[in-house]
Amino acid sequence: MSTARFDELIHAPTRLAIVSLLAAAQWADFKYIRDELGLSDSALSKQLSTLESAGYVQIRKSFVGKYPRTSASLSPAGRQAFEQHVAALQQIVARSQQNGDARSAAEAARGILGR
Amino acid sequence: MSGTQQPQPAGTEATGAEAAAELAEIQRRHQQVIKTALVPVWYWWAYAVAIVAYGVGRDIRGSAVKATVITLAVLAMVVLSAVMIPEVRRRVKVRLDPQPQARLTAAVIGLIILVTLVTVFTAVALVAARVPYPVTIACAAGGAVLVIAGPLVNRYLHKLMLAQARQQMGGAPQAAGTP
């Protein structure tokens, strides 16, 4: 299990979707990511550039015949950051459940005492 | 390239509900990738039809019709194998550890062997029993096995990939609405 570390860069909804998609893949085609997430070319390029600048994503450009093809993959640093972010989310959920349980128990106890 | 945006340390963390929604979103995206990587159900049916067409071609009389049917059936199988599967892999490649990867390969090879054995043994038995149209019936049996076992293999691969995705998430509980 990774060390928990909440990552604001990954937390943003569009970037979370991109990173989650890439986390399950070795690599994914640019058009595939765009279509699956319903983004425009420019919106996806912008988010991928942000993730690439942070060292989280690697962009690979190649040619298939005459046609250029761009694919993206998570870098080892990106994968680690994602795993740490997931661990942080799980901690938050667990903490929130514990607080909820404690609150419920306190309310139940108050109810019993109040009878 | 735009300016570097470094991740910030914890401080503006999400609430419990937001974190749960975020985990559900992550699982949903993993499912999306896994679903893309699997061949669709129609693929098994199309391949089965091509196998049966090949059988009909072998049993049919008249050399010109026979040659045409067999050529078309083989062509359909080649197209389905050589175009469809690389097309799936062209879009996204699922990340699999060596052990699930080996199981995946074994499942696919097992399916091919099963279909081949059922077809060949049925054909041999029918020819020995002098049953008419032995190759057509044998290919129909092989096609039926493919239509039944293909989706089962798909389901097994789906389970395998999902288990690994969950493992990567530290055994996170299933999100609401995910199978």
Side-chain angles (χ1 to χ4, degrees), chain A residues 8 11 26 36 85 90, chain B residues 7 12 22 32 91 93 169:
Chain A
E8 277 296 329
H11 177 57
Q26 269 184 31
E36 291 295 311
H85 185 66
Q90 285 169 340
Chain B
T12 51
E22 217 167 297
Q32 216 172 344
R91 295 194 287 167
K93 182 156 171 45
M169 284 182 67

Side-chain angles (χ1 to χ4, degrees), chain A residues 40-110:
Chain A
S40 64
D41 282 359
S42 59
L44 179 58
S45 288
K46 191 181 162 200
Q47 298 297 349
L48 283 177
S49 294
T50 305
L51 289 165
E52 193 185 24
S53 304
Y56 286 2
V57 161
Q58 289 164 338
I59 309 286
R60 195 177 60 181
K61 292 187 181 196
S62 59
F63 275 87
V64 178
K66 286 180 187 172
Y67 304 99
R69 193 174 136 193
T70 306
S71 60
S73 61
L74 269 192
S75 67
R79 200 163 286 283
Q80 192 187 6
F82 174 72
E83 285 168 2
Q84 289 176 337
H85 185 66
V86 168
L89 293 174
Q90 285 169 340
Q91 271 187 5
I92 294 167
V93 171
R95 222 165 31 221
S96 140
Q97 279 169 350
Q98 276 172 3
N99 290 344
D101 289 347
R103 210 174 299 135
S104 305
E107 280 165 10
R110 266 200 301 275

Side-chain angles (χ1 to χ4, degrees), chain A residues 23-43:
Chain A
Q26 269 184 31
W27 53 260
D29 191 57
F30 181 91
K31 286 179 190 165
Y32 169 77
I33 305 171
R34 181 197 66 191
D35 296 343
E36 291 295 311
L37 303 184
L39 296 171
S40 64
D41 282 359
S42 59

Side-chain angles (χ1 to χ4, degrees), chain A residues 10 15-28 32-33 56-57 72-75 78-83 86, chain B residues 26-27 29-31 33-34 92-97 161 164-166 168-169:
Chain A
I10 295 176
R15 286 195 291 268
L16 177 79
I18 295 169
V19 172
S20 304
L21 216 62
L22 292 177
Q26 269 184 31
W27 53 260
Y32 169 77
I33 305 171
Y56 286 2
V57 161
S73 61
L74 269 192
S75 67
R79 200 163 286 283
Q80 192 187 6
F82 174 72
E83 285 168 2
V86 168
Chain B
I26 291 167
Q27 286 194 0
R29 296 300 174 193
H30 281 178
Q31 288 259 10
V33 171
I34 290 168
V92 62
K93 182 156 171 45
V94 174
R95 186 169 169 265
L96 272 180
D97 289 338
M161 292 175 189
Q164 185 181 294
R166 288 211 186 101
Q168 283 167 2
M169 284 182 67

Side-chain angles (χ1 to χ4, degrees), chain B residues 71-94:
Chain B
T71 306
L72 287 176
V74 170
L75 201 67
M77 283 190 258
V78 169
V79 168
L80 284 167
S81 308
V83 178
M84 178 66 202
I85 300 205
E87 170 60 24
V88 169
R89 291 193 178 149
R90 196 183 61 80
R91 295 194 287 167
V92 62
K93 182 156 171 45
V94 174

